[in-house]
Amino acid sequence: MAKRTEIGTLGEFGLIRHLTEKITLKNPGTLKGVGDDAAVLDYKEKQVLVTTDLLLEGIHFDLTYVPLKHLGYKSAVVNFSDIYAMNGYPKQITVSLGLSKRFSVEDLEELYSGLQLACEVYGVDLVGGDTSASLTGLTISITCLGEAGKGEIVYRSGAKETDLIYVSGDLGAAYMGLQLLEREKRLFNGESDFTPDFGGKEYLLERQLKPEARKDIIEMLAANHIKPTAMIDISDGLSSELLHISRESNVGCHVYEERIPIDFQTASMAEQFNMNLITTAMNGGEDYELLFTVPLTDHDKISALKGIKVIGHITKPELGNYLVGRDGGEVELKAQGWNSLASE
Amino acid sequence: MAKRTEIGTLGEFGLIRHLTEKITLKNPGTLKGVGDDAAVLDYKEKQVLVTTDLLLEGIHFDLTYVPLKHLGYKSAVVNFSDIYAMNGYPKQITVSLGLSKRFSVEDLEELYSGLQLACEVYGVDLVGGDTSASLTGLTISITCLGEAGKGEIVYRSGAKETDLIYVSGDLGAAYMGLQLLEREKRLFNGESDFTPDFGGKEYLLERQLKPEARKDIIEMLAANHIKPTAMIDISDGLSSELLHISRESNVGCHVYEERIPIDFQTASMAEQFNMNLITTAMNGGEDYELLFTVPLTDHDKISALKGIKVIGHITKPELGNYLVGRDGGEVELKAQGWNSLASE
């Protein structure tokens, strides 16, 4: 049986010290990390980006099938993704945890090992946080700070008529991974000698359980001197993010069904589940790909780059926001996003 | 009856827009607040301070007697206090909320009105956050960013032997306010036509429900060209904070019972409750006063200032950390702090 050390044996300060003592700071701009009333950072002439995410057990994650290390990794990465979506680079995170007695010190070490792995991979320092008792499930609140040079930041609001719309990677896989995990959980609950059937679906699981933020895309665009006019990361689904760009930029958009990038495993799983593939790709969420717009004149430069696909173009606002089907029919885009608080 | 609008009628993005649309940005360094993947800030040549606090219903607050507006105000102020404790000035906060359906839009307006009032009073911008469904109680996670000039920052680690130890305001009142509220809650639960008896105890309630951060002390020290060698805010109780300074500065300390500042209402209430007054003042917590050390040579300058009291002095580390009683007896300081996760 795994070793189990009760959190109470360390106390609040002991626990924080235990979890953070091995942390080394990587960025020269991080002057002081954990251990005072506040962390101290030096951004010199760079601008500071700040984003935050709150993850609650039972709403954003299910510990029945999400390993704590993966949860730590993903919690950090989704915040990095928001910073890349501004065309910036994440530099520091703070991590606050609400913990019930159900969690042991070893559990928290697992969670922290995932957080620290993400920090290593993306060159980010963990500089602070708060640890508290919780009467209920696990609560994770992460704030990420990042930097961007003046004039480098890309907002949602800069898209212009005739700009082309691009998306990185492929869409819908994380959502299909979630469906798969949920199905296996239901099956598992019915049988005692159950072995989950994940063969050939590794990509879907990885997209759901261990997503990556597209640092590589930001670096590639910079290396090729392409600055998007507008950018956002795809966390709530492509439809929802397109509507954010249209709203903030006061434009409309047309995207084309046949251009939406979808992985073979996503398509195959949608068929097995008898789900509409394009709906999955448009509204699935948690892809953490980048959606951005670029002037027509940059298309030649960008079309030579790997891992980026043009999916449509920006229009005048009065033309609305539409998905054009393979048959030429148009369907208006609707925001899906988060409905957990809607009255059922 | 109060108007009740269900949160679900607005949806996630509608709710965030509704709560944040009236927010105006005050600081020239806040370039972009709510509404993109990240907020954008310019700190120019200043250094960036960052601190975060997680507040959970049932652990950190009890909505039976804490009005939501006060809760919003206090949630912001406790973060500002951490920035002042670095000798810096808070400039921006992000606010993440986990909400169950029990809360209405009007409830959140109350909470936000408290947050915004605190921001106005202290000159801070609310620049972002996250709003999520929660399966359980209210979760509030706040991150605060602040600024300080290079060379102005005061850490916990700078205290030197023979430095004098100072504390602002008075101690123990917030804790007595909490005892009072808890008592009235117990009484209330027994009687239906109950009127709480708070006469003459307004100061205790205010210290518990609507604490202030000591911006005025930081400004006064700066105006008088006094830079503390070490500083911390008193959130977990004087004993606990003294031990932090001793540990981080590798020193010891002696503080004197007769020097600990205590308000008359605190003393009177402790007597009524038959509680040890000095224990209350040393371990009560939530005072949000500043504890700091200053070289002996600055004592003449500082003794002319109002609202600050010398309570003891820094020693060699091997002399330990002691409270010297009125009778000259010495009691070793023990960390109290947070024990909610300790096994009972």
Side-chain angles (χ1 to χ4, degrees), chain A residues 102-179:
Chain A
R102 163 162 80 94
F103 295 97
S104 67
V105 173
E106 289 76 14
D107 290 337
L108 296 183
E109 286 169 354
E110 276 297 296
L111 184 71
Y112 257 76
S113 73
L115 286 164
Q116 281 179 261
L117 179 60
C119 284
E120 271 163 42
V121 170
Y122 291 89
V124 172
D125 290 324
L126 198 165
V127 297
D130 192 13
T131 305
S132 164
S134 157
L135 293 178
T136 53
L138 178 61
T139 302
I140 306 173
S141 177
I142 296 189
T143 298
C144 183
L145 283 85
E147 70 173 32
K150 272 177 207 176
E152 284 169 14
I153 295 173
V154 177
Y155 295 90
R156 298 176 178 178
S157 56
K160 298 271 179 299
E161 203 191 325
T162 78
D163 280 357
L164 292 176
I165 304 171
Y166 296 84
V167 73
S168 65
D170 60 78
L171 302 178
Y175 183 75
M176 291 313 300
L178 181 64
Q179 300 310 308

Side-chain angles (χ1 to χ4, degrees), chain A residues 53 55 70-79 111 115 140 142:
Chain A
D53 259 304
L55 301 166
H70 284 70
L71 180 61
Y73 191 88
K74 182 170 174 174
S75 304
V77 162
V78 303
N79 279 282
L111 184 71
L115 286 164
I140 306 173
I142 296 189

